[in-house]
Amino acid sequence: MSSNIRSLSLALAMFAVPTAAFAQIGISITIAPPELPVYEQPVIPGDGYLWTPGYWAYGDDGYFWVPGTWVQPPSVGVLWTPGYWGWSNGNYAFNQGYWGPHIGFYGGVNYGYGYGGDGYSGGRWNNGSFAYNRAVNNVNISSIHNTYNETVVNNTAVNRVSFNGGSGGISARPTAAQETFAHENHVAPTSAQTQHEQTARANPAQRDSVNHGHPAVTATARPGDFKASGAAEAKAGTENKAGEANKAAAENKAGAENKAAAENKAATENKATAENKAAQENKATAENKAGVENKAAAENKATAENKVQARKPAAAQHPARTAQAHAPAAPARTVQRSAPKPEAAPRPQAQARPQPAPRPQAQARPQAPARPQAQERPQAQARAQPAAQQHEGGGQEHEHH
């Protein structure tokens, strides 16, 4: 109870100060706030609302999440500078947010949806009405017509750190212009914003000790509407619709999925490449084998044909030369065939023939050149002459006796 009274007294003291000297320093503790949760911005409920990002506040039960919400500004022409936790003198002190003509320093914290750590890119005042940047905000253009589309380049490091300074905190420092904006007349949070924070404080599901950095409600369409259809639950690792850089978890998840998909794709492509390569090599091997076999078959066929051609008779290959070849060959064959015949020796028994004289007429037969076989017959004369000589010699011997 005493703690609640102390917190309430501190809050009343903060809101009781004059607007021009609005106190920014709130409660300070030694424990750093949790990381910012990832969530989707609800659709704007109507024209004239401005977006105020969610933040971690501190109560009797520790840190609790105050959902981001669409709020109607206290007056035309003012903008909302979010609060932030900053490290100072060994403690984390909360610097309360405020309304003013310019966006001041909010610790370099990347709250998203136009609050990238420096200034605001979600919209601007234009002749008394607020124009919304569709590239940043979730705007229904069928009901909100004062819009524009401008790409936002965020130079702030992508992270979910919710505090400035200290160990692990953001190292951003106010610029000269932001130092000047800090001395302008500021307006405290509206009553709707204060009630919105009190509703979050009373909800145990919003406490970090219960949700461990994942509050039940992360954003609402209107202040205090925690159960409305436009209330957004924590979606760690989900990319918000506006595509702000504070969705580090979503990008990491998407990167991991893309990496896994790329690896799977690479593995599939490598497998397909290997299979195609193997198929091509097998095809090439088969073609080479077939070529070798065909070549061998052709060579074998040619060899066989050449062999058959070589075995053909000489007369079939060269008819014109056959006659010439036979002419000189006949006498040689006759001599070779007659030489081994031992039967020729007994023929001298023809001595009994008394008339050997007519035999020499066979000498005229060699005149026929077309009949090579006739050349064999002179041998008969040679054979007959010894017989005659023997007969004549015998006669001489007979007479001698």
Side-chain angles (χ1 to χ4, degrees), residues 274-306:
E275 292 176 351
N276 292 335
K277 184 178 180 181
Q280 292 176 355
E281 292 176 351
N282 292 335
K283 182 178 179 181
T285 302
E287 292 176 351
N288 293 335
K289 184 177 180 182
V292 172
E293 292 177 351
N294 293 335
K295 183 178 180 181
E299 292 176 351
N300 292 336
K301 183 177 179 181
T303 302
E305 292 177 353
N306 293 334

Side-chain angles (χ1 to χ4, degrees), residues 194-330:
T194 303
Q195 183 62 40
H196 183 69
E197 181 177 323
Q198 294 301 323
T199 303
R201 183 193 298 270
N203 189 343
Q206 298 300 109
R207 300 170 187 169
D208 177 59
S209 59
V210 175
N211 58 53
H212 304 291
H214 302 286
V217 179
T218 54
T220 63
R222 289 182 173 86
D225 291 346
F226 282 46
K227 296 182 180 180
S229 59
E233 297 180 354
K235 296 181 180 180
T238 303
E239 184 179 0
N240 64 43
K241 186 175 181 179
E244 286 292 303
N246 67 326
K247 302 302 181 292
E251 293 176 352
N252 292 336
K253 181 179 179 181
E257 292 176 350
N258 292 335
K259 183 178 180 181
E263 292 175 350
N264 293 335
K265 183 178 179 182
T268 302
E269 292 177 349
N270 291 336
K271 182 178 179 181
T273 302
E275 292 176 351
N276 292 335
K277 184 178 180 181
Q280 292 176 355
E281 292 176 351
N282 292 335
K283 182 178 179 181
T285 302
E287 292 176 351
N288 293 335
K289 184 177 180 182
V292 172
E293 292 177 351
N294 293 335
K295 183 178 180 181
E299 292 176 351
N300 292 336
K301 183 177 179 181
T303 302
E305 292 177 353
N306 293 334
K307 187 174 182 181
V308 172
Q309 188 70 19
R311 290 180 179 178
K312 288 183 179 181
Q317 295 179 2
H318 303 286
R321 299 178 183 177
T322 303
Q324 297 177 0
H326 283 297

Side-chain angles (χ1 to χ4, degrees), residues 342-386:
E343 299 86 10
R347 287 189 179 181
Q349 294 177 0
Q351 295 174 0
R353 294 179 181 180
Q355 297 177 355
R359 294 278 180 95
Q361 294 177 356
Q363 294 177 354
R365 291 184 180 179
Q367 295 177 357
R371 301 175 70 177
Q373 294 84 358
Q375 295 177 0
E376 297 178 356
R377 294 196 178 179
Q379 296 177 357
Q381 182 178 0
R383 292 177 185 175
Q385 290 176 358

